[in-house]
Amino acid sequence: MRKKDTMKRLTKKQMIIFAIGQLGWSILSGVINAWLVTFYLPTSGDIESGATQFIKPGLIIFGVLTILGLITAVSRIFDAVTDPLIASLSDRSKNPRGRRIPFMQYAAIPLSLVTVLLFCAPVEAISGWNVAWVSVFIILFYLFMTMYCTPYNALISEFGKTQEDRMFISTSISLTFFAGTLLAYTPFVFAGMLRGAVGYGWSYRICFIVLAVIACVCMMLPTFLLKEKEFVDTKPSQSNMFKSLAATFKNRDFRTFVGSDIMYWIGLTLFQTGLPYFVKVSMELDESYTMIFMGGMTILSAVFYPFVSGLVRKFGKKKLTIVGFIGLACAYLITAMIQFIPLPGIVFGVLICVVAAFPMALLGIIPQAIVADVAEAEGVETGENREGMFFAARTFAMKWGQSIAMLVFTSLAIIGTTQNLNTNDITASKLGITIVAFVAVAFCLLGALILGFYREKKVMATIAKKEEQSAATVAENGEAQK
């Protein structure tokens, strides 16, 4: 019997403590995603409200990129390289406290600190020093984020001893991810309240400091309250980074999943990036409705979360994920129809939220559990625990999908317009936004098609065989003790 089969099983309370770690890092990730561009590339309206221009504006890199866009692109390349590196170091770690928790503990405080410092450019004017500052701290942000998230995600499989446990963990971390993302948007409300007393820049920095402190506490909580070696076989992997990464992508079912997952992240990112433009341009509503629709969709999606585990037991993960892809495609199709059906914009907004909520619940929970299943089955077949590399590879796919989506969005949204290369005000046309929605539909349907080749029965049979052997061994030991 493998040592992993005799480890303790997390209680539901301990799984929730684990999920709180994701609440922490999702706050910081949300802050960067929501505010980095807004803070450093203020529009003319922001400047009139007191915003400072720290970096030269405009599409001045080959006429297609801002300076901040180039910095972000380079940092994401660095981020993609560090994913398998950190995964390999974690998988091979011989730390007596475990392979994952020490990495998370060492990364939490620097990650929180770097997030705040990223918004503290040294010169209150356009300056090359600010460019250098942002370049260094955005790279450090992604380094420490990877140091926390890659080992954290590996624990989903290692802490999830059964299908029930993996689904509960996936559901919990999906909820805390959405909660953290919503908290990252709170400066929309509180910065305005502080602006009169502390000025434009510090009204946001104070909000970021508060969020970073909350995030740090959340990230540290599982590292102190959960003792990894009580729950996980900490035997290190013997493969180096390149061998481990090659072995991971050699797994046919994982390659199928990753191909489908890239399509999902392209479609999702196109929608999330385009939502403010769908609201302003297509629906012709005030930008504030973006937060209302996003919040409403998130809350409604959370309502469905308790039912996902039961549905998975009845229908399986593969079928429900395909249903999620098709449902999301329907929501995007409704978005594309705004220009062709004469209904008030708010009606479309509510309809999109309602239609997208259930698919978002499915796709927010099940893919993580599928990766955990594939990693578990691979461990059974090879006897080597490389959960970290599997989740790092999935993160790599997510980042590629997001990057492709950003390029696609910026290329399509401006179709039919003339861009001012010297301003940060992005011009999007109704035609361009409609094309974006149709393209998102296509990517979602392609994701469903690719996932159809995933061999769920084979993966689950491998895991079930191991669990049956473990149960038989436990029973034999019990009889021997009698």
Side-chain angles (χ1 to χ4, degrees):
M1 180 175 57
R2 293 165 62 200
K3 183 181 177 183
K4 185 174 181 178
D5 303 325
T6 64
M7 295 286 102
K8 289 182 181 179
R9 182 179 172 187
L10 267 70
T11 64
K12 291 291 192 293
K13 179 180 177 180
Q14 288 169 325
M15 292 180 196
I16 292 171
I17 290 171
F18 175 68
I20 290 173
Q22 178 131 326
L23 175 63
W25 74 255
S26 63
I27 290 174
L28 301 181
S29 176
V31 166
I32 299 302
N33 291 337
W35 296 106
L36 183 66
V37 174
T38 300
F39 190 85
Y40 280 110
L41 292 183
T43 63
S44 55
D46 294 330
I47 294 171
E48 290 174 4
S49 298
T52 300
Q53 284 189 309
F54 294 95
I55 296 173
K56 188 174 181 179
L59 305 174
I60 60 177
I61 307 297
F62 306 120
V64 296
L65 275 179
T66 62
I67 292 176
L68 186 62
L70 179 61
I71 292 171
T72 303
V74 172
S75 68
R76 294 311 292 250
I77 294 171
F78 171 84
D79 187 27
V81 171
T82 57
D83 278 331
L85 174 61
I86 297 298
S88 179
L89 291 174
S90 177
D91 283 342
R92 299 169 64 190
S93 173
K94 298 179 182 179
N95 192 300
R97 292 191 297 125
R99 299 189 298 169
R100 318 300 185 189
I101 293 293
F103 275 88
M104 294 161 54
Q105 203 166 67
Y106 298 149
I109 293 176
L111 175 58
S112 305
L113 183 61
V114 164
T115 303
V116 174
L117 290 175
L118 184 52
F119 294 93
C120 297
V123 181
E124 290 287 322
I126 294 175
S127 169
W129 288 108
N130 295 334
V131 174
W133 181 277
V134 174
S135 300
V136 169
F137 281 100
I138 191 65
I139 286 177
L140 289 175
F141 171 83
Y142 284 121
L143 173 62
F144 291 122
M145 177 67 79
T146 300
M147 283 181 63
Y148 190 93
C149 293
T150 297
Y152 181 92
N153 288 331
L155 286 173
I156 298 171
S157 174
E158 295 174 335
F159 280 166
K161 295 291 190 297
T162 66
Q163 286 299 305
E164 179 186 354
D165 289 353
R166 282 193 281 271
M167 285 305 302
F168 188 88
I169 291 172
S170 294
T171 301
S172 300
I173 64 175
S174 186
L175 281 170
T176 52
F177 177 81
F178 280 122
T181 302
L182 283 178
L183 283 173
Y185 280 89
T186 54
F188 273 117
V189 177
F190 294 108
M193 298 178 182
L194 297 169
R195 192 163 300 155
V198 298
Y200 189 93
W202 275 102
S203 69
Y204 286 104
R205 290 181 186 125
I206 290 172
C207 291
F208 299 152
I209 290 170
V210 172
L211 289 172
V213 171
I214 295 171
C216 188
V217 172
C218 291
M219 288 189 293
M220 293 294 281
L221 199 63
T223 70
F224 284 108
L225 298 183
L226 301 176
K227 297 186 183 301
E228 181 182 342
K229 293 192 73 174
E230 293 183 1
F231 306 99
V232 179
D233 178 7
T234 56
K235 181 181 177 181
S237 168
Q238 300 302 313
S239 299
N240 62 34
M241 182 185 76
F242 297 104
K243 288 183 179 179
S244 181
L245 188 61
T248 299
F249 278 102
K250 189 177 179 180
N251 186 300
R252 172 183 166 182
D253 294 298
F254 184 70
R255 291 199 308 271
T256 300
F257 169 79
V258 165
S260 172
D261 205 40
I262 289 175
M263 299 302 107
Y264 163 66
W265 285 109
I266 293 175
L268 180 64
T269 306
L270 283 174
F271 182 77
Q272 290 178 333
T273 305
L275 185 58
Y277 299 96
F278 295 140
V279 171
K280 290 187 297 184
V281 179
S282 298
M283 300 179 196
E284 298 181 347
L285 297 173
D286 185 85
E287 190 176 21
S288 61
Y289 278 91
T290 303
M291 184 67 178
I292 295 172
F293 292 146
M294 181 66 77
M297 184 169 59
T298 301
I299 293 170
L300 185 57
S301 180
V303 171
F304 291 110
Y305 274 42
F307 304 102
V308 174
S309 293
L311 291 170
V312 165
R313 285 192 293 271
K314 186 174 182 179
F315 299 105
K317 300 183 184 74
K318 175 180 173 178
K319 289 180 181 178
L320 287 174
T321 304
I322 290 174
V323 168
F325 272 119
I326 295 172
L328 209 56
C330 290
Y332 297 165
L333 185 61
I334 293 170
T335 305
M337 291 294 104
I338 295 175
Q339 301 306 311
F340 306 104
I341 302 175
L343 289 174
I346 196 167
V347 172
F348 277 106
V350 172
L351 188 58
I352 291 166
C353 289
V354 171
V355 173
F358 182 58
M360 292 291 285
L362 296 175
L363 297 171
I365 296 172
I366 299 176
Q368 289 276 29
I370 291 178
V371 179
D373 288 342
V374 175
E376 178 75 6
E378 174 84 358
V380 172
E381 293 178 342
T382 65
E384 189 173 27
N385 302 322
R386 292 183 290 104
E387 289 88 349
M389 189 59 75
F390 274 95
F391 280 94
R394 197 249 169 157
T395 303
F396 181 78
M398 175 190 75
K399 291 168 183 174
W400 268 107
Q402 291 173 331
S403 299
I404 292 170
M406 292 301 295
L407 290 173
V408 171
F409 179 83
T410 52
S411 299
L412 298 181
I414 62 174
I415 291 176
T417 68
T418 301
Q419 294 295 107
N420 183 349
L421 301 185
N422 297 314
T423 179
N424 294 319
D425 293 311
I426 299 174
T427 303
S429 69
K430 289 186 177 182
L431 173 61
I433 292 298
T434 301
I435 292 173
V436 166
F438 277 120
V439 170
V441 170
F443 277 114
C444 286
L445 293 178
L446 184 57
L449 178 64
I450 294 172
L451 193 65
F453 295 96
Y454 170 60
R455 300 176 298 177
E456 182 178 31
K457 290 182 179 180
K458 175 182 179 296
V459 171
M460 301 312 296
T462 302
I463 296 172
K465 182 178 179 181
K466 184 267 296 187
E467 292 176 348
E468 288 171 4
Q469 291 173 344
S470 299
T473 303
V474 171
E476 289 174 4
N477 291 341
E479 288 297 324
Q481 290 176 1
K482 291 180 181 179

